[in-house]
């Protein structure tokens, strides 16, 4: 039989599914997809290499800092052993390291959320902290400043969040009643307000014991209230006691106020301090929803979550009685202690716990308030502590124990959230492992990069609206320790922390995934090496330096568009066999693709277990150079590639290439395609000719 495979979006699936040719996705899947990425059009493309950025010197974890779509305004926070540094895709910023309270074993457990120039960091072992970027000329507090690669200078600070901070409350006001004296005690409180509209706690109550109740006042009666000034106050709110509450009666920009029998609004009262995170009860989860900061997963109340005042993220002061903009406290009563593991704003407030997933709303599209909140369970899979990723109309989270990836999306039929197990076709990639960290690269490719606990990087291509989802393995000469995504110059940039063994020593590097090789770029610009650099001498040279980070390593090199082998870095320098102007040099990696066995139901029954062998096969390639083919990983033959003229760059080829894989008769068959040189490889389709015994 002769069959065509023209869709590889299913990625790599488990060996246990090799007989499930009845599955609709079977024809789109592969038995091996290593250092290849499923394209959104069905093709399979070699992943680009990684560029060396900096030597970090020790274990580090990355947290993205994305201020805008401009690449110059996006950074990664490099958290190390009680240290913080700032880096971009261009390298480490020229600032001193900032001291942090976090030890290396706590770094991956930090929950973070960004608003403007501030990234909040939550960990249940430490008070809430924030990383703040300010203009260097207006900076204050502890931290370090530096230049951002020729752009405006900024100062970076790490600060402990002091909740409920404001101006000092005024001293006890003095009260004088004007009119016929009585025996009623008029009582007033005053609160200071700063330029940002933040109100202090109220002063102690000042009183006049010889006043009259305002309902007994006659024309000419009034009360005068005065108080000492408060530093940095721009105005003062005045409250009068009524029925046991102090209700708002007016505002003064001076230091006195005349009460002309104004009605006391007891629905607007002075704020009272409330801090649910005191005495070591630190939150472990942070996010933002409806202009409130959401904190959860405290040691004393792991199943509770708290929401700040509206528009004042660090303020948890309450009114009495409670107002709609007051902070929210909610204890999830699930019949078990299900600790909150993540929270995300997704239209509704979604909460993941160790046993369930919940939706919190105000009902009928209304905002959540202290008196209007409804929580309903959406699923009972349970969630790991990894922050979810929002893609379009779906939210992806890692199932409890960190070994499955699921999505959640709104279902009109259910009038709630439904989801699928997105790792069901590739359980072999997760068994015995957990996902420690992940990052979403929207462009190009809509890819989620998942870090496994053994340092292997998994790529998950996901586009729900086209039913595209597939896994692949991304193998490099070392272990990946952290991954983050920021907006770069040519789409989203994936930043990596990688541990590599260089010249017999363990080194930890900051690297970034190179952009995909574009159709308009010449072959000289193809970057398919790991931990590499692009060297552009002023004039063609054969001896090039600047490779100290790869001392003693044998490199994969593309010199002026032609592959070069056998070069070793010695004293930071390599020697080419000829002078070159554009050199891509780094560590080699191998890209591999293997098909699933071809099976069908014929007139004489199934082909399962039948002996078969490959005849002539045809691969349709797009802008590819070389590669290898064969019946197995250990038996490979070269696809030809040549320059048009000797001494020139190799030519990318687009078109069909036919070959005979060879091999013997076997009960199952796979065709292997491999690219192990620093050259591009992109497969559009594969036509297989299979003979059955």
């Amino acid at each position: 039989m002769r069959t065509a495979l023209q869709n590889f979006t299913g990625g790599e699936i488990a060996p246990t599914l090799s007989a499930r040719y009845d599955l609709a996705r079977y024809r789109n899947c592969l038995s091996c997809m290593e250092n290849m990425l499923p394209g959104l059009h069905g093709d399979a493309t070699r992943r680009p290499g990684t560029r060396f950025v900096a030597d970090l010197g020790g274990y580090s974890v990355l947290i993205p800092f994305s201020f805008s779509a401009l690449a110059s305004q996006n950074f990664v926070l490099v958290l190390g052993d009680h240290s913080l540094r700032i880096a971009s895709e261009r390298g480490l910023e020229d600032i001193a390291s900032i001291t942090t309270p976090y030890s290396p074993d706590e770094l991956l457990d930090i929950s973070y959320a960004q608003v403007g120039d501030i990234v909040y960091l939550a960990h249940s072992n430490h008070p809430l902290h924030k990383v703040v970027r300010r203009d260097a000329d207006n900076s204050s507090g502890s931290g370090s400043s530096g230049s951002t690669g020729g752009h405006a200078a900024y100062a970076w600070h790490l600060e402990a969040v002091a909740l409920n901070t404001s101006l000092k409350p005024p001293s006890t006001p003095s009260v004088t009643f004007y009119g016929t004296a009585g025996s009623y005690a008029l009582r007033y409180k005053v609160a200071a307000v700063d330029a940002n509209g933040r109100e202090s706690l109220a002063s102690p109550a000042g009183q006049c014991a010889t006043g009259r109740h305002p309902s007994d006042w006659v024309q000419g009666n009034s009360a005068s209230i005065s108080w000492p000034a408060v530093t940095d106050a721009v105005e003062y709110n005045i409250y009068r006691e009524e029925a046991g509450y102090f209700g708002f009666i007016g505002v003064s920009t001076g230091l006195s106020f005349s009460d002309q029998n104004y009605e006391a609004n007891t629905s607007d009262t002075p704020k009272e301090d409330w801090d649910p995170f005191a005495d070591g009860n630190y939150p472990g989860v942070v996010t933002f929803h409806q202009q409130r900061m959401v904190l959860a997963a405290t040691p004393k109340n792991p199943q509770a979550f708290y929401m700040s005042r509206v528009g004042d993220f660090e303020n948890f002061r309450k009114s009495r009685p409670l107002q709609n903009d007051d902070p929210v406290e909610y204890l999830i009563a699930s019949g078990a202690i299900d600790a909150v593991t993540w929270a995300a704003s997704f239209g509704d407030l979604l909460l993941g716990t160790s046993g369930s997933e919940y939706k919190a709303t105000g009902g009928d599209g209304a905002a959540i308030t202290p008196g209007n909140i409804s929580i309903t369970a959406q699923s009972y899979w349970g969630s790991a502590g990894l922050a979810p990723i929002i893609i379009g109309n779906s939210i992806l989270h890692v199932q409890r124990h960190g070994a499955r990836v699921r999505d959640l999306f709104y279902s009109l039929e259910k009038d709630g959230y439904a989801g699928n197990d997105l790792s069901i076709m590739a359980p072999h990639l997760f068994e015995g492992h957990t996902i420690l960290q992940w990052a979403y690269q929207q462009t190009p490719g809509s890819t989620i990069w998942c870090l496994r606990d053994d340092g292997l990087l998994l790529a998950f291509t996901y586009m729900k609206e086209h039913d595209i989802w597939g896994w692949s393995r991304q193998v490099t000469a070392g272990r990946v320790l952290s991954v983050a995504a920021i907006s770069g110059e040519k789409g989203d940039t994936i930043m990596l922390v990688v541990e590599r063994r260089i010249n017999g020593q363990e080194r930890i590097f900051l690297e970034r995934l190179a952009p995909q090789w574009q159709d308009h770029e010449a072959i000289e610009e193809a970057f398919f090496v790991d931990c590499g650099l692009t060297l552009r001498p002023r004039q063609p040279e054969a001896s090039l330096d600047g490779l100290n980070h790869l001392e003693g390593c044998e490199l994969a090199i593309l010199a002026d568009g032609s592959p070069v082998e056998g070069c070793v870095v010695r004293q930071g320098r390599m020697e080419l066999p000829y002078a070159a102007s554009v050199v891509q040099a780094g560590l080699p990696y191998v890209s591999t693709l293997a098909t699933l066995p071809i099976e069908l139901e014929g007139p004489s029954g199934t082909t399962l277990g039948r002996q078969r062998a490959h005849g002539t096969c045809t691969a349709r390639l797009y802008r590819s150079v070389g590669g290898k083919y064969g019946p197995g990983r250990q038996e490979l033959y070269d696809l030809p590639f040549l320059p048009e003229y000797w001494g020139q760059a190799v030519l990318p080829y687009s078109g069909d290439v036919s070959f005979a894989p060879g091999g013997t008769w076997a009960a199952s068959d796979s065709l292997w395609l491999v690219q192990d040189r620093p050259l591009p490889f992109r497969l559009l389709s594969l036509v297989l000719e299979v003979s059955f015994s």
Side-chain angles (χ1 to χ4, degrees), residues 119-142:
V119 177
Y120 288 89
L121 307 177
H123 193 288
S124 56
N125 292 344
H126 302 280
L128 188 68
H129 278 72
K130 60 183 178 181
V131 178
V132 184
R133 186 186 71 163
R134 301 187 180 95
D135 292 338
D137 294 337
N138 299 321
S139 65
S140 62
S142 61

Side-chain angles (χ1 to χ4, degrees), residues 73 79 168 214 223 276 297 306 319 324 330 373 409-410 420 427 472 504 546 549 555 565 586 601 608 622 686:
Q73 292 293 309
L79 289 162
K168 292 182 178 180
Y306 309 86
S319 304
N324 285 342
Y330 196 97
I373 180 171
F409 51 87
Y410 183 78
N420 301 301
S472 57
H549 67 288
L555 303 182
E565 299 176 351
E601 292 288 339
L608 277 175
Y622 182 76
L686 195 57

